[in-house]
Amino acid sequence: MDITLAIVAFLLSLVGIIGCIVPVLPGILLNYIALVCLYFTSYAEIDSTSLIIWLVVVGIVSLADFVLPAWMTRKFGGSKAGEWGATIGVFAGLFLFPPMGVILGPFFGAVLGEMSRKTGSPEQALKSGFGSFLAFIVGTGIKLIVAFWMTAVVIAACWAPVREAIASLF
């Protein structure tokens, strides 16, 4: 059973990394599930405290992924309307136009939010939209860092048993 859990953990880690880039897959959540799989093996040295810490990290990164578009829109000179547009665009893109909607939804939401204001200029709307797009890039980068880190933990925990299993075959 340990080998099966280790293989599942490794596969979940790889799919989790892909999921950080492909918005349809729940990236770092899959990496976390991989750690949980290893927790139930007899050889991995992952304790419940580590699982709780990783769960908090996954929660913070996931929350940041939804909050960043509105925050970066504001940092790039967007108004409340642009912020709201980016936030609505995240959710609309996630559910209405996956997978590209998650990337483009905040951008178009911020642009439309800014354009809905009487005082908004097209240049400022595009600048705000760029801020929300940049937030996607930053969020993806953060998710990838966390996913690779969790994958390294999985590989480190599985390396000795996998090496022994392969050696026992020959």
Side-chain angles (χ1 to χ4, degrees):
M1 186 66 174
D2 282 352
I3 298 296
T4 303
L5 284 173
I7 291 169
V8 168
F10 183 71
L11 292 175
L12 283 172
S13 292
L14 292 179
V15 174
I17 290 170
I18 294 167
C20 290
I21 299 166
V22 178
V24 176
L25 298 172
I28 58 172
L29 181 61
L30 294 176
N31 287 92
Y32 180 75
I33 294 170
L35 292 176
V36 172
C37 286
L38 286 182
Y39 176 77
F40 290 108
T41 63
S42 61
Y43 57 81
E45 296 180 12
I46 296 176
D47 58 359
S48 56
T49 304
S50 296
L51 284 180
I52 291 170
I53 291 170
W54 279 114
L55 183 61
V56 169
V57 169
V58 167
I60 289 170
V61 170
S62 297
L63 180 65
D65 203 31
F66 285 105
V67 173
L68 270 174
W71 184 74
M72 298 269 297
T73 297
R74 188 70 154 184
K75 285 294 180 189
F76 275 72
S79 64
K80 276 288 192 196
E83 249 183 88
W84 276 102
T87 302
I88 292 168
V90 167
F91 291 106
L94 179 67
F95 294 112
L96 299 177
F97 308 107
M100 290 305 292
V102 176
I103 300 168
L104 298 175
F107 174 80
F108 287 118
V111 170
L112 291 173
E114 290 297 323
M115 294 300 291
S116 70
R117 294 180 8 180
K118 301 258 190 259
T119 59
S121 70
E123 295 82 22
Q124 183 55 45
L126 287 174
K127 186 176 175 187
S128 298
F130 177 73
S132 70
F133 178 73
L134 189 59
F136 170 78
I137 301 298
V138 169
T140 300
I142 292 170
K143 287 188 295 187
L144 281 170
I145 289 168
V146 171
F148 275 114
W149 190 4
M150 284 194 275
T151 301
V153 170
V154 167
I155 290 170
C158 291
W159 185 251
V162 169
R163 187 178 60 228
E164 291 170 14
I166 292 172
S168 70
L169 292 174
F170 299 105

